Amino acid sequence: MIPNEAQAFPAPAKLNLDLRITGKRADGYHNLESIFCLIDLCDTVYLKPRSDDLIILHTPTGGIPPEQDLAYRAASLLQKHTNSKSGVEIWLDKKIPTGAGLGGGSSDAATVLTVLNHWWECGLSRQQLINLSATLGADIPFFLFGKNAFAKGIGEQLSPIDIPKQWYVVIKPKAHVSTPKIFSHGNLTRNSKPSIMPTFQSLQPFRNDMQAVVFQEYPEVWKAYCELSEYGSTLMTGSGACIFLSTDSRQEANNIYQQVSQSYEAYCVEGLDIHPLFQMI
């Protein structure tokens, strides 16, 4: 039960409208280029300040120990980094599916960092929060950046990008894709040519360099891709498992959603231009 005095904050999901792997780094990570787009599918993060320095996560995701959840780790990292003596209690109301390539856990962590930086009067700038968060996960910096972005490096080098107003149909096949498994796969494309002047238009046609390997290893994702492709140009987001297509109108997206939601966990969502907590940093 979430107490009445806990405050609610949104944590929106993301789509990778384009994702290319430009090389493997000496540290074992991969250099990426991607268009990140915010969407209005949101988790809700409930936070309640404490007078002591305890951090308590009441609702860890997927049965993992609370201390391993990104939301808890984000609060703990900020507390240690700033020597804060404050604490917090956290509840997560999950609407974003896990293991889906939608960044739900990373978005929860970014919302925790944003709010606690404000509540605890830590005074970190947006860039300082981005740099700190990159040690936790590659998607968290984007949610702190707070705008649709072209990302480079492991996802921490961000620049704004204009994306036309679009509505998306997203479907979640019954598969939980292992990101480490995909990144270590022998057949993964790792040599895409870096972009010179990336824009929404210049990167067309969009692609996802992880897609072919995921389809090879997870036939359920391939099946979902084929079925959604009957309605338009379709891509996988992130390392999967979610598949999406974009439309220019809410009505078109809703019509497709009505069809595919009979067979899949599905979402009809609008693209966002800015994170709902952007002004808090």
Side-chain angles (χ1 to χ4, degrees):
M1 180 69 72
I2 301 170
N4 292 333
E5 59 268 29
Q7 295 187 44
F9 299 94
K14 58 84 176 172
L15 292 173
N16 298 93
L17 302 186
D18 186 85
L19 198 164
R20 309 179 189 205
I21 303 174
T22 58
K24 190 169 184 180
R25 299 152 48 117
D27 61 9
Y29 287 95
H30 289 75
N31 282 320
L32 310 174
E33 290 188 350
S34 186
I35 296 177
F36 281 95
C37 174
L38 292 161
I39 57 175
D40 67 351
L41 172 63
C42 292
D43 289 344
T44 303
V45 179
Y46 291 89
L47 300 173
K48 177 186 171 186
R50 291 182 62 92
S51 56
D52 56 24
D53 63 355
L54 290 180
I55 297 169
I56 302 172
L57 173 60
H58 294 277
T59 55
T61 306
I64 64 171
E67 295 77 14
Q68 293 179 19
D69 193 288
L70 277 175
Y72 179 98
R73 292 171 61 199
S76 178
L77 179 66
L78 183 66
Q79 188 187 63
K80 291 173 183 173
H81 182 77
T82 61
N83 294 313
S84 175
K85 304 303 180 187
S86 300
V88 68
E89 295 184 49
I90 307 169
W91 294 261
L92 304 176
D93 181 11
K94 298 292 293 181
K95 295 292 189 292
I96 304 169
T98 58
L102 299 175
S106 296
S107 187
D108 296 344
T111 290
V112 168
L113 287 171
T114 298
V115 176
L116 295 186
N117 183 55
H118 178 69
W119 277 7
W120 293 351
E121 299 180 344
C122 299
L124 298 187
S125 68
R126 189 179 308 278
Q127 190 58 53
Q128 287 174 316
L129 281 174
I130 286 171
N131 295 342
L132 183 66
S133 74
T135 65
L136 283 178
D139 285 345
I140 305 175
F142 162 67
F143 293 107
L144 292 164
F145 186 73
K147 297 180 178 180
N148 295 328
F150 179 76
K152 296 177 66 175
I154 61 170
E156 84 289 5
Q157 300 172 37
L158 298 153
S159 55
I161 191 167
D162 290 326
I163 297 175
K165 173 56 71 176
Q166 296 188 113
W167 287 261
Y168 303 91
V169 180
V170 184
I171 64 174
K172 169 75 167 63
K174 291 182 178 177
H176 190 108
V177 175
S178 166
T179 302
K181 177 180 178 179
I182 301 307
F183 270 122
S184 63
H185 201 286
N187 294 339
L188 182 67
T189 297
R190 296 180 172 88
N191 60 350
S192 285
K193 187 177 179 181
S195 305
I196 305 300
M197 295 279 288
T199 66
F200 185 86
Q201 288 74 25
S202 69
L203 289 169
Q204 306 275 356
F206 292 150
R207 68 174 192 261
N208 183 336
D209 283 347
M210 297 187 183
Q211 193 169 271
V213 168
V214 173
F215 291 170
Q216 179 183 331
E217 295 294 326
Y218 299 89
E220 313 97 308
V221 183
W222 166 244
K223 180 173 181 286
Y225 172 85
C226 292
E227 294 186 13
L228 191 58
S229 293
E230 295 176 11
Y231 301 93
S233 180
T234 300
L235 272 179
M236 184 182 78
T237 182
S239 58
C242 276
I243 305 292
F244 72 94
L245 64 73
S246 61
T247 69
D248 295 329
S249 76
R250 186 188 303 271
Q251 184 61 51
E252 183 184 0
N254 191 58
N255 290 342
I256 297 170
Y257 165 79
Q258 295 296 336
Q259 297 297 317
V260 297
S261 61
Q262 298 177 37
S263 305
Y264 287 97
E265 180 181 344
Y267 307 88
C268 181
V269 297
E270 183 177 358
L272 302 174
D273 292 326
I274 196 166
H275 194 290
L277 299 180
F278 183 81
Q279 300 298 335
M280 188 174 279
I281 302 176

